[in-house]
Structure formats: structure tokens, C-alpha cells
Amino acid sequence: MTICGRLLAAVLLLLTPIAASAQEFPTKPIRLIVPFPPGGPNDIIARVIGQKISELVKQPIIVDNRAGQGGVLGTDAVAKAAPDGYTVAIASAGALAISPSMEKVAYDTLKDLAPVTLVATVPEMLVVATDVPAKNMSELVALAKAQPGKLNFASSGPGSLPHLACELFKLTAKIDIVHVPYRGAAPAVNDLLGRQVQMTFLDLPVILPQIKAGTLRPIALDVPTTTEAGMPDLIIENWYGMVAPAGTPPAIITRLNMIATEAMADPAVKAKLAEQGLTLAGDTPEHFRDFIAADIRKWAKVIEDAGVVTAK
């Protein structure tokens, strides 16, 4: 055998245990970190998909809620976990694509985390209080231009997706509206219902009960609405994806991707998450990495163009 042949044989010998291990994975429970409290979209996704994954692999999926700092603490926990595939997270746009441009975080999204798959997307809904005399996007923009600096928009906190969605709205429509940050979506919605503020962007699952009850008025619900108003760039979605620690063997990442994709294809899983306004996605680890990188660039530009004050 030539030297090259011996080297190739040695490499294949080293890789064989990894490949075999990936085929058998998992052989013990998987910890699925949710960087938010129970009950939110991340948590719902993790529990619905986690239950199906557990059925598929015949191993428990332990949902571990690690709330704090807008999803940053839980995301950092998975970045620091052992890279063996047994700790993953359902993280969202805020912690993966926005927070690194807004504040000092202990991880680098693209260096310290291994993307597994984009799991689900959900529209950000622009809603207004019922006393706002605007029934659609064009009327709301006209109202804001007629009263510069008089209308307020609520957010779930500085640097949150609702905050930056409204900053993008301001830039796109060339309007002057005032940001009023809250500590979470619930108090923002309460003051919107109390007419202390006039508008907000929020995930559809969060705001859907008020829309159905008629206590808040939707302004931008779909692609035609924003496109017909001349603002196609204002189509905003929050998203949720599965990530593992960097350094997790590629074969294990591929196995996790396959398991998660199979779980997402289940009709019952699709139906349960559709009830929450969530659209299941599913892609390759490589595509998800490119998706995250593009979103990081997008929101970094919005933060810079809008002059948003950061804590970096």
C-alpha cells in the first residue's frame, strides 16, 4: 500500500467510530434549552417538537427553561455546553441575530454555535389601539406624518424585535414616532389596550387573542398589505431555530437535523403549531447558517441607520 493509501485508511479508521456513533445517536436523554419562561412561542415549539422527537428516538427530551436577558442567557448556556449533541436549544432571532449588535454577549453566534435547522417562522403584526383613526398602513403613515412626534409605539424592551421592527417602520415610511420600551410583551399590550400608547409590532401568537376579540386593530397582516403600501421591506418575521454548541461533530449535527425535520413533517405537529400562528420551516444546517448571517447583517444595519443606542 502507498503512503497516501495508508494515510487514507488511517483517516477512515478514525472517522468510523464517529459515523457509527452518529447512527446510534441518541443513546440517552437530550436536554433542550428554551431561553424563555414557559408558555411563550419558544417554549411551545420546544415542547411540541420535543415530544415528537422523543417518540422518534425513544429517548426523553428534557425541556430546560433558562430565561433571562431576552434569550441571551439560555443561548449562552448552550454555547458553553459539551459539544456532543446532547444539549441543544430552540433559540430565536433576538438572541441569535439582534442581541450581538445591541449589547455585549458572551458568545459569537456564528463561531460558538452550530446551526441545526430553522424550525419555524411567525409574522410580526403591526397593531394599533382601537381609538387610532387609521384602518390600514397608508392611513397610519399619513396620520404619523400629520402629527410628527405625537404617536408612541410600544416594544417589549430596547433592542427587542418589536423595537427594531418599529425602527424599520420609521425608516421605511420616513415618519417620526416615539419609542416607549416595556419589560416584556404583556405590559406593552396592557398599555396598548389602555390607550397609553398607540401601536406595536408583536409576534402573531402573542397578539392573536386581542385581534380576534377586536380589542386591537391589525394594520399589517400579510405580504400584500405592506407591499401595496409601498413598503415591501417592512415584511418582518420572527423565527426560531435549533442550535447546538460549536464543535459538535458534523455527523451528529446531520443526525439532529434529520430527526428534527422528521418531527416537523408530522401532521399533528404542524397542526398544533399552526394554531399558534407558527409556520414550520426546516432546512439544512448550511442554509440555516447563511440565514442567520443575513439576519445579523440586516438588523445591524437597522440599528446603525436608526441611531439606536446600544450597550456595547
Side-chain angles (χ1 to χ4, degrees):
M1 183 181 292
T2 65
I3 293 176
C4 288
R6 288 198 294 271
L7 286 173
L8 179 60
V11 169
L12 291 174
L13 190 62
L14 288 171
L15 292 177
T16 298
I18 296 175
S21 159
Q23 289 177 354
E24 296 167 359
F25 176 90
T27 59
K28 62 181 182 179
I30 294 175
R31 182 168 60 125
L32 181 54
I33 292 178
V34 175
F36 289 91
N42 292 66
D43 186 67
I44 292 169
I45 291 168
R47 293 180 188 279
V48 172
I49 291 181
Q51 180 180 347
K52 186 60 186 180
I53 289 175
S54 179
E55 294 172 8
L56 291 171
V57 302
K58 307 294 192 294
Q59 291 290 343
I61 304 297
I62 301 168
V63 176
D64 182 359
N65 293 90
R66 295 284 192 95
Q69 207 177 329
V72 168
L73 295 185
T75 304
D76 184 48
V78 75
K80 289 180 168 57
D84 55 11
Y86 287 99
T87 300
V88 295
I90 297 293
S92 51
L96 293 177
I98 294 175
S99 289
S101 292
M102 280 295 302
E103 57 186 307
K104 290 181 180 178
V105 296
Y107 55 87
D108 181 308
T109 299
L110 298 176
K111 292 180 180 178
D112 299 326
L113 294 162
V116 175
T117 183
L118 177 64
V119 174
T121 61
V122 61
E124 287 291 292
M125 298 290 98
L126 173 57
V127 293
V128 298
T130 52
D131 65 334
V132 173
K135 302 294 191 295
N136 55 49
M137 181 71 81
S138 298
E139 290 180 6
L140 183 60
V141 170
L143 180 66
K145 287 186 175 180
Q147 303 178 39
K150 300 297 183 183
L151 299 180
N152 297 326
F153 73 88
S155 83
S156 52
S160 62
L161 187 57
H163 173 202
L164 296 186
C166 273
E167 293 293 351
L168 181 57
F169 180 32
K170 289 171 60 178
L171 290 168
T172 306
K174 297 180 173 57
I175 55 176
D176 178 14
I177 53 180
V178 180
H179 178 216
V180 181
Y182 288 83
R183 294 188 130 187
V189 170
N190 286 339
D191 268 14
L192 190 59
L193 292 169
R195 301 179 179 182
Q196 303 301 308
V197 289
Q198 285 73 51
M199 70 189 81
T200 189
F201 276 91
L202 283 174
D203 283 10
L204 177 58
V206 175
I207 212 74
L208 192 57
Q210 287 78 19
I211 292 175
K212 287 182 175 178
T215 52
L216 292 175
R217 182 185 307 130
I219 291 294
L221 275 174
D222 51 33
V223 172
T225 304
T226 51
T227 302
E228 288 165 9
M231 291 181 283
D233 292 339
L234 201 59
I235 300 165
I236 300 168
E237 289 183 321
N238 198 357
W239 50 264
Y240 308 87
M242 182 179 289
V243 292
T248 301
I252 297 294
I253 294 294
T254 299
R255 173 73 174 149
L256 283 167
N257 178 274
M258 184 187 73
I259 295 167
T261 301
E262 186 175 354
M264 286 186 278
D266 182 82
V269 169
K270 287 182 178 180
K272 284 180 183 177
L273 294 180
E275 291 173 2
Q276 303 295 324
L278 294 155
T279 301
L280 286 172
D283 61 358
T284 65
E286 296 76 19
H287 182 272
F288 187 31
R289 175 175 290 277
D290 291 343
F291 178 91
I292 295 172
D295 223 40
I296 289 172
R297 292 192 297 270
K298 170 184 175 176
W299 292 117
K301 187 175 188 307
V302 171
I303 290 165
E304 180 179 0
D305 291 349
V308 175
V309 177
T310 71
K312 295 193 76 173

